[in-house]
Amino acid sequence: MESSRFAILWLFSFLVLTAQWRASSASSDDFLHCLGTNSNGLHPQAYIPKSPSYLSILQSSINNLRFASPETPKPQFIITPDHESQVQAVVVCSKKHGLNIKVRSGGHDFEGLSSTSNVPFVLVDLINLRAIDVDIKHNSAWVQAGATLGEVYYRVAEKSRVHGYPAGGCPTVGVGGHISGGGFGPMVRKYGMAADHVLDARLVNAKGEILTRETMGEDLFWAIRGGGVSSFGVLLAWKIKLVPVPPTVTVSIVTKTLEQGATELVHKWQSVASYGVPKEAFIGLHVGVVNNNATIGGVERTVQATFQVLFLGPAAKLMNVMDKSFPELGMERKDCKEMSWVESTVRFAGFPSGTPVDILLNRSSLPKTTFKAKSDFVTEPIPKGGLRGIWKRFLKEERPEMVIGVWGGKVNEIAEDKIAFPHRAGNMYLIDYVTNWDGKEGPEASKKHIGWIRELYDYMTPYVSKSPRTAFLNYKDLDLGRIGASTYSDAKIWGEMYFKGNFKKLVNVKSKVDPGNFFSGEQNIPPAITN
Ligand SMILES: Cc1cc2nc3c(=O)[nH]c(=O)nc-3n(C[C@H](O)[C@H](O)[C@H](O)COP(=O)(O)OP(=O)(O)OC[C@H]3O[C@@H](n4cnc5c(N)ncnc54)[C@H](O)[C@@H]3O)c2cc1C
Ligand SMILES: *[C@@H]1O[C@H](CO)[C@@H](O)[C@H](O)[C@H]1NC(C)=O
Ligand SMILES: *[C@@H]1O[C@H](CO)[C@@H](O)[C@H](O)[C@H]1NC(C)=O
């Protein structure tokens, strides 16, 4: 009895599964056929879940391992175009077959949004579209979306020692996501955001057409500089404007634990770094926990502040600046190292002094972790008591970090509505709170660490920007607003945190260029006010 019932059930599920498989493989053939007929004879490389290299391609650039688990929803197809027309074909065919698309450039999205989706989707991985064409004579470069920041820095430096690009400190980040979210790095005080230095762009719209600045119009061109390009199309390439850098810059890295006076120094740093030193000096700050094995060298587990200085000039000049404005740090000439700008990008990425610059071309040079992050802009100094409360929380967590970018200078001088990136005058610094853990620990560990960082975020409320409390789009955080928000009232919460007054215009642009919301996804700009 028992076994025959089991056999019937088994047969039944076998039939259902077979039928499902037939249906999905039929639509799979249709989709791939569509791609072939729309690619001008250049069929793009496509992977389906059964393809032997599907999983390794999928995981190749997922930076946050929280989204590289077996439970993470996976794409029905991965397409790796090596020609622009193939991207157009993916848009046309995904639309025709009712599939969402996720575009991946460098894969560094904090919430994994370039590699996963809650609805059936196609992953367009731009790994093969990463050509960089530097035009020193005109101080510009065309960079395809799949290029990394490290590749850009390397190719610019190959042509000139006195040209640079003001973007982020992590060389494996992709230019597709980074620049469209604003993008800041250690030259932010001198030159502003990466998105402030974009001259033109090539974008595939929801109709599958390729647009340039001229054909997309100034409003859409405004929106993709800081508004996140994933809401508006598939970005193929940026034309970036290069900036002058001196032939010799100086890097200095000084660490101080609580026992060495970190609290007083971080407190003082706040009144110096943003408004008390020239634009050429960027005194970045990293806070972490060291000595995880208690009593290494007689010191217990403690909080450590690392002051990471980039100075666009020689060491002697930096020493003058520090002696005058921040003598308490005790920086000495021997802590300073002079180098070329491109070498400074290697040091800022955390590689040891003397690491050859071709590490910038290695897309997997940095270890990956499982993490959750959140962000805040700070507009007035946090009192010492407030800082001590952060340290107390840090000491209860395994691998917490704060990565702090310093505002002031050029980034604050540009009008809030010049481009979609809005965080300008009044901001002193940007905090990226991170907690890292070992993904193998399972869901309980995730819950614990995510709970910890949410609690820290609550604690920070009185000390950070208000009405709205602002957040940085490049540090994507799905906690903001309601998760999965798709209507205007839900989106307004995170929309105003990321974009302040620019959110309204972003919604207007979206309504004009993608009224059918083909480019939809979590925390993508919604097309219209629906309630
Ligand atoms: C270790 C690390 C360090 C970082 N350091 C900095 C820093 O110093 N400064 C800073 O500003 N940010 C920094 N970031 C954040 C980083 O800039 C963002 O995560 C950025 O979005 C990453 O771009 P990507 O192309 O690598 O990401 P992806 O994950 O590929 O993309 C991010 C988002 O943009 C969309 N997208 C990507 N490419 C395209 C495209 N071509 N067309 C349409 N949509 C696209 C994706 O779908 C996704 O929604 C850092 C992130 C990490 C993980
Ligand atoms: C901590 O100590 C343990 C036991 O002595 C050792 O196995 C481990 O490698 C140490 N970890 C670090 C990070 O030093
Ligand atoms: C890139 O860096 C990683 C990590 O250091 C290393 O294992 C790998 O061999 C490097 N790849 C290349 C091509 O150099």
Side-chain angles (χ1 to χ4, degrees):
M1 264 316 265
E2 212 51 31
S3 67
S4 72
R5 211 190 292 155
F6 180 79
I8 289 167
L9 255 177
W10 186 85
L11 182 64
F12 179 73
S13 40
F14 177 77
L15 289 174
V16 170
L17 282 173
T18 312
Q20 273 176 355
W21 182 78
R22 283 224 181 91
S24 82
S25 77
S27 77
S28 164
D29 289 348
D30 291 350
F31 177 79
L32 296 173
H33 184 252
C34 176
L35 276 189
T37 55
N38 282 277
S39 306
N40 300 327
L42 297 162
H43 202 299
Q45 191 66 48
Y47 305 84
I48 56 172
K50 278 188 298 185
S51 310
S53 44
Y54 171 88
L55 209 57
S56 65
I57 304 259
L58 175 63
Q59 298 194 332
S60 59
S61 73
I62 300 179
N63 180 266
N64 187 346
L65 298 178
R66 189 151 59 97
F67 304 101
S69 79
E71 296 77 38
T72 307
K74 300 191 170 39
Q76 303 201 344
F77 305 93
I78 303 172
I79 315 293
T80 53
D82 42 32
H83 195 277
E84 289 185 338
S85 68
Q86 297 169 339
V87 177
Q88 295 176 275
V90 180
V91 169
V92 169
C93 299
S94 301
K95 204 163 161 186
K96 187 170 163 203
H97 290 272
L99 291 164
N100 190 238
I101 73 170
K102 290 290 151 204
V103 185
R104 187 162 82 182
S105 291
H108 281 53
D109 194 279
F110 278 11
E111 298 280 12
L113 296 186
S114 53
S115 303
T116 186
S117 171
N118 296 331
V119 296
F121 73 108
V122 179
L123 173 58
V124 187
D125 190 328
L126 300 177
I127 177 78
N128 296 327
L129 288 178
R130 62 171 202 275
I132 296 170
D133 187 6
V134 179
D135 180 355
I136 285 297
K137 198 168 141 226
H138 296 102
N139 304 317
S140 67
W142 270 105
V143 296
Q144 283 188 303
T148 62
L149 295 177
E151 289 167 342
V152 173
Y153 300 159
Y154 184 92
R155 296 299 168 206
V156 169
E158 216 174 29
K159 294 259 171 89
S160 162
R161 192 180 166 109
V162 293
H163 286 73
Y165 183 59
C170 174
T172 53
V173 160
V175 299
H178 183 77
I179 299 177
S180 82
F184 89 94
M187 293 204 289
V188 68
R189 293 167 43 74
K190 174 75 177 175
Y191 291 116
M193 305 296 286
D196 290 324
H197 298 270
V198 174
L199 300 167
D200 204 339
R202 291 175 68 77
L203 180 83
V204 177
N205 70 5
K207 292 184 192 141
E209 302 159 333
I210 294 180
L211 305 177
T212 61
R213 178 174 187 170
E214 197 184 343
T215 51
M216 75 178 76
E218 285 303 302
D219 283 352
L220 179 53
F221 186 59
W222 172 92
I224 60 175
R225 288 174 293 162
V229 71
S230 62
S231 305
F232 301 100
V234 183
L235 182 101
L236 297 169
W238 301 108
K239 185 182 185 185
I240 60 173
K241 184 171 179 287
L242 304 179
V243 299
V245 295
T248 299
V249 306
T250 304
V251 172
S252 180
I253 298 175
V254 175
T255 61
K256 299 284 177 183
T257 61
L258 293 185
E259 293 70 22
Q260 295 166 325
T263 308
E264 285 70 28
L265 289 170
V266 170
H267 186 255
K268 174 75 198 277
W269 165 88
Q270 298 180 100
S271 62
V272 173
S274 313
Y275 306 134
V277 291
K279 290 173 186 177
E280 288 72 23
F282 176 89
I283 313 175
L285 180 60
H286 177 275
V287 181
V289 169
V290 291
N291 291 356
N292 282 317
N293 272 346
T295 65
I296 293 178
V299 183
E300 300 218 335
R301 189 168 194 265
T302 186
V303 171
Q304 178 174 273
T306 303
F307 299 86
Q308 298 166 315
V309 184
L310 172 69
F311 184 69
L312 299 171
K317 249 186 168 165
L318 171 61
M319 285 311 300
N320 287 344
V321 169
M322 298 303 279
D323 285 347
K324 183 163 152 260
S325 305
F326 200 10
E328 298 86 346
L329 184 60
M331 180 187 286
E332 295 178 40
R333 176 63 182 81
K334 70 172 171 52
D335 300 323
C336 302
K337 204 161 159 48
E338 293 183 333
M339 58 188 77
S340 66
W341 171 76
V342 73
E343 287 165 342
S344 81
T345 69
V346 173
R347 279 302 276 141
F348 258 74
F351 297 109
S353 186
T355 303
V357 294
D358 53 16
I359 191 85
L360 296 172
L361 302 178
N362 184 335
R363 295 176 76 105
S364 46
S365 57
L366 295 165
K368 296 176 179 179
T369 73
T370 298
F371 69 91
K372 168 68 190 161
K374 301 177 81 67
S375 68
D376 264 317
F377 282 93
V378 176
T379 56
E380 43 193 274
I382 300 176
K384 284 182 198 163
L387 296 174
R388 287 194 196 98
I390 304 176
W391 312 156
K392 202 174 94 192
R393 285 166 173 79
F394 264 47
L395 288 169
K396 287 187 187 145
E397 179 67 352
E398 282 156 41
R399 287 158 66 197
E401 290 179 273
M402 285 198 294
V403 185
I404 300 178
V406 191
W407 256 233
K410 183 71 182 176
V411 66
N412 291 39
E413 290 163 15
I414 298 170
E416 284 193 358
D417 60 356
K418 177 91 189 295
I419 61 172
F421 175 85
H423 309 287
R424 308 287 188 173
N427 289 299
M428 292 176 58
Y429 57 92
L430 164 64
I431 307 179
D432 173 16
Y433 313 94
V434 189
T435 176
N436 304 278
W437 66 95
D438 180 351
K440 291 188 202 84
E441 289 168 32
E444 279 309 306
S446 298
K447 236 171 108 183
K448 186 178 103 196
H449 297 294
I450 293 173
W452 177 84
I453 203 168
R454 286 178 180 159
E455 202 266 336
L456 174 67
Y457 189 76
D458 282 347
Y459 167 76
M460 293 302 290
T461 310
Y463 304 118
V464 299
S465 63
K466 291 172 191 69
S467 3
R469 182 175 186 171
T470 52
F472 183 33
L473 180 67
N474 270 355
Y475 296 161
K476 208 162 290 150
D477 179 2
L478 293 183
D479 290 350
L480 310 180
R482 187 142 59 76
I483 293 173
S486 59
T487 62
Y488 184 76
S489 59
D490 298 327
K492 202 168 181 288
I493 300 170
W494 53 257
E496 290 183 347
M497 295 180 82
Y498 288 137
F499 309 115
K500 302 179 78 174
N502 291 341
F503 178 60
K504 245 191 188 148
K505 179 165 167 185
L506 286 167
V507 172
N508 288 339
V509 175
K510 172 77 175 180
S511 310
K512 285 199 192 100
V513 305
D514 184 21
N517 204 13
F518 173 67
F519 294 107
S520 62
E522 285 189 276
Q523 291 193 347
N524 269 19
I525 306 288
I529 299 171
T530 52
N531 60 16

